[in-house]
Amino acid sequence: MSTRSRRSVLKVGLFLPLVVFAGALLGACGDGAAPPDYTAEELESAKAELRDHARLRTFEAGKLFGEEWVARAPDDAELRGLYAYQLVGWRLSKEVHEQAAAILANDPGNPWGLYAKGYAHYVDNEVTPAIELVRDAWEAAPQPEFASLYLRVLSRDDFEVAWEFLEGLDEEARGWPEVLRMQAELESQARYRRQDPTWADSSRATWAEFKEQFPDHVLGYTRLANEAYQARRMDEWTPLMESALELAPGSSEVRSQHWRGLWMSELLPREERRPAVEASMAAFREASPETPPGRYAMASMYRNMEDEERAAELEARIVESDPGSYYASMVYLAELQGANDKLSELREEHDSDSPEVRAQLEVVRDAVYEYLERPLYSDTYKGTAYITLYFALNAMDPIPVEDFADAVRGLAAHETLNPRITFGSAPLAMIDNTPYALEAADIVREGVPAMLEQIMDSRDFFDTEGEFDQALRSSLSGIYDVIGWAYVKAGRAEDGRHTLERALAISENSRDVRYHLGQVYEQLATEAEERGNAEAVTEWLDQAEDSYIAGFGASRGTNPNEAALEALYESRNGSREGIEEYLATLDERDRIRRRDRILESRVEAAGTYEPFQLARLDGEMVDSADLEGKIAVLHFWGTWCGPCIVEMPEYQKFDERYREDAEVAVISISNDRSTDVIEEYLGKNSFDFAVLVDDGYVERAGVNAWPTTWFVDREGYVQFVKIGTALKLDEEFSWRVEALREETTSSP
């Protein structure tokens, strides 16, 4: 990747525009077009002024100035690129796309065109194409603006790659204000990405350095002022904001920060706050042209001050001037959010089925429909509208079927930020409340890439590969669950059963899968009853009961398995008589059934296992020969294994149960590649069971599934093998151990 110095940048930045300018002159002579009404010096001065607007965050004036100059010098790519940044400040992604297209139309590889197009994709939250475009722009001509955007888009995709690029820049490039700014922002992100709060100090120091080196850049003051405000150090905040306002009195971004500080802090007595804010607003009007961003910023502040009348007045002017603009669309969205906020307030004051809440649900529904009928700037916030509509309709009683199905379809088409809702709970609700079950299954299938991408993006937040693996399994299980349930509701019970059982095999800790499987088993019992097969009826109902019972402990919150189990009891017994006693003995009934099944799972032809000599974490060697005469439990696991991680707290209890038992040896064997990973995991979770480190033994012993546990009798024969997680490990493992102990004790 190119990291050329600023010297080469200056050659590119000054030489190319002059070439373009000269070409324009030659073209004018050749085709008879009128010569430009500016000199080369004036054009360079215009570009410098656009850069000034960028460093001062005065996008209100910057856009108007750039608009005028692009009309005068439409063929200058750098000018258009700098103008595009002013449009980014207005959040006008469509117009940024237009500037990029104008640059690239006659010069597809122009770096300024690639930069503008990359920024447009970034504003649209399309990070992957943005990365590719800005990388190409940087490698073609390493401008400071390109480096800044490249760092920004990389940090959204892969923080460590962004950091590597930053460190690969040469000393001169590291000194550009655009790069130093991004260094401070990356350091701020490092607090969370690297889970180290000391990076906040590094970020603060870099911003302080930025302010000292570039005193004419407004961000050095506003970022430090924001930190002072968050810490309520208003004695620091005041001079920083005064310096920022002196530099950029016409920036709505700076002014908004000033207004919030005056209004929401204890800097001023309450009665003085509004006059101070309005005085700052008046100064802003004098310093800045009247623009939609400025009006919107003031309207937002008036709404914070609970002056709905002044806010509405400013918003009406925005809509009247251009009803299809970005800021008009933001006004429409605020109206929708206002209706939804009112619903939240009513839910806090009244029951969910109260007349007040039910009436407001209809208000929210109508507000969404009104929003969707507006001349929207783009589809960006349609996802927000549809998710609001989905929740409102889902809370109605009865749920309006066709409207609800349309809401889920709208979610699938527009909402990408919440894939667990869009492609999980929403299609599931569509299955339960509409006749479009198979269509809902198709929505889930189409959303699989988005769901998996979200899991992959969150990988850094998991401490171990095993925790990440379990999250992945949970998502995959949920996908199969919804698709399987769709088959069931569509009348394809057998297809549904097989798909749901696959979901359960992937992740056993899902209450929804357990519930849905129980429902399927009940349906199959009904079909068996219609055929007159009484034995099959009993078997299917027993399976349904087992599934509901297992679903009790699957997760917290409202659990459908409980109600289903009670309904099943009433159906099988003809009444609810005795149900309390039944529920009271449920745990014991479940224990008896599980214990019987476990003891019946004994290996038919027990054999010995591959001997081993393996080191503990402390280096002490353990020889399998020393286990002779003892009952041994050999547990194979790894921190990378999701199911292993899930059952580790129970395994710790099991280990403690037999730790002082001279007749039983409990040994875990981890095949993690690094002992550091194992020690870190054990320490973080306060686990102290013994761990042997795999040296290739796992492969020699033929273990190919995790977790796997062998239960070995005193003679060295493997009598039980458990593959996968146990529902209640401590209890179920101890049943196997005690069964082997009893056999030895009772033998002659």
Side-chain angles (χ1 to χ4, degrees), residues 373-613:
E373 291 173 359
R374 298 276 199 174
L376 301 175
Y377 175 77
S378 70
D379 291 345
T380 301
Y381 295 103
K382 280 189 175 181
T384 301
Y386 276 112
I387 203 168
T388 302
L389 179 63
Y390 161 71
F391 281 118
L393 296 177
N394 198 33
M396 291 183 178
D397 187 15
I399 292 176
V401 173
E402 295 301 329
D403 287 353
F404 189 75
D406 284 341
V408 177
R409 294 178 185 120
L411 267 180
H414 298 287
E415 172 54 48
T416 59
L417 298 178
N418 300 280
R420 286 184 176 274
I421 296 173
T422 302
F423 305 112
S425 56
L428 183 59
M430 185 177 181
I431 293 166
D432 285 331
N433 296 288
T434 79
Y436 307 114
L438 294 181
E439 181 185 350
D442 288 339
I443 289 174
V444 174
R445 291 189 186 92
E446 291 170 4
V448 168
M451 296 181 72
L452 295 182
E453 181 180 0
Q454 184 186 54
I455 291 292
M456 296 302 295
D457 288 344
S458 66
R459 189 168 192 153
D460 292 343
F461 296 99
F462 295 95
D463 293 325
T464 67
E465 285 297 307
E467 290 167 328
F468 169 74
D469 177 67
Q470 187 59 26
L472 184 59
R473 285 171 176 268
S474 178
S475 292
L476 291 172
S477 178
I479 291 166
Y480 279 112
D481 176 47
V482 178
I483 294 173
W485 189 234
Y487 286 144
V488 174
K489 298 293 280 188
R492 295 164 55 180
E494 278 299 318
D495 289 338
R497 178 169 71 90
H498 293 312
T499 306
L500 290 168
E501 288 174 347
R502 184 177 302 174
L504 193 61
I506 295 172
S507 178
E508 296 183 346
N509 299 308
S510 171
R511 69 178 189 191
D512 290 334
V513 177
R514 298 280 188 182
Y515 167 70
H516 290 148
L517 267 174
Q519 294 285 288
V520 174
Y521 296 148
E522 286 198 58
Q523 184 173 330
L524 293 172
T526 299
E527 295 175 4
E529 186 175 20
E530 292 172 354
R531 297 192 302 269
N533 189 339
E535 183 178 351
V537 170
T538 300
E539 290 177 358
W540 286 123
L541 292 179
D542 284 347
Q543 287 196 56
E545 184 177 24
D546 288 348
S547 190
Y548 296 142
I549 292 172
F552 268 20
S555 64
R556 298 176 180 177
T558 303
N559 197 321
N561 291 283
E562 184 174 0
L565 185 62
E566 292 184 14
L568 177 59
Y569 176 91
E570 185 173 356
S571 173
R572 298 186 80 174
N573 293 276
S575 72
R576 292 180 60 84
E577 184 178 351
I579 193 170
E580 297 301 328
E581 294 81 358
Y582 166 77
L583 294 175
T585 61
L586 205 56
D587 286 343
E588 184 59 26
R589 289 163 54 88
D590 176 49
R591 287 181 74 255
I592 292 172
R593 286 189 180 181
R594 283 187 295 113
R595 187 174 185 278
D596 289 344
R597 284 197 297 267
I598 285 170
L599 297 184
E600 290 169 1
S601 68
R602 193 184 188 105
V603 175
E604 291 185 4
T608 58
Y609 61 92
E610 181 77 13
F612 62 78
Q613 288 182 318

Side-chain angles (χ1 to χ4, degrees), residues 678-736:
I678 305 170
E679 291 174 344
E680 181 181 357
Y681 172 73
L682 296 177
K684 181 176 180 179
N685 292 280
S686 300
F687 295 150
D688 62 352
F689 52 82
V691 179
L692 305 188
V693 182
D694 180 32
D695 65 353
Y697 172 75
V698 166
E699 184 175 355
R700 295 195 301 273
V703 176
N704 52 25
W706 280 263
T708 290
T709 310
W710 296 341
F711 298 83
V712 185
D713 66 17
R714 297 178 193 271
E715 305 300 320
Y717 287 87
V718 179
Q719 298 290 352
F720 294 96
V721 175
K722 171 59 179 173
I723 296 176
T725 55
L727 187 61
K728 296 181 179 180
L729 183 148
D730 180 28
E731 183 176 63
E732 296 177 4
F733 278 19
S734 68
W735 289 337
R736 296 176 174 93

Side-chain angles (χ1 to χ4, degrees), residues 211-247:
K211 180 173 73 70
E212 294 303 315
Q213 287 194 29
F214 308 107
D216 59 345
H217 278 251
V218 76
L219 281 178
Y221 303 95
T222 57
R223 294 301 171 87
L224 290 171
N226 183 65
E227 184 171 329
Y229 172 78
Q230 296 296 332
R232 290 300 188 263
R233 299 192 303 268
M234 301 309 291
D235 57 329
E236 297 179 26
W237 179 87
T238 300
L240 287 166
M241 285 308 307
E242 287 175 350
S243 296
L245 289 171
E246 185 177 352
L247 278 172

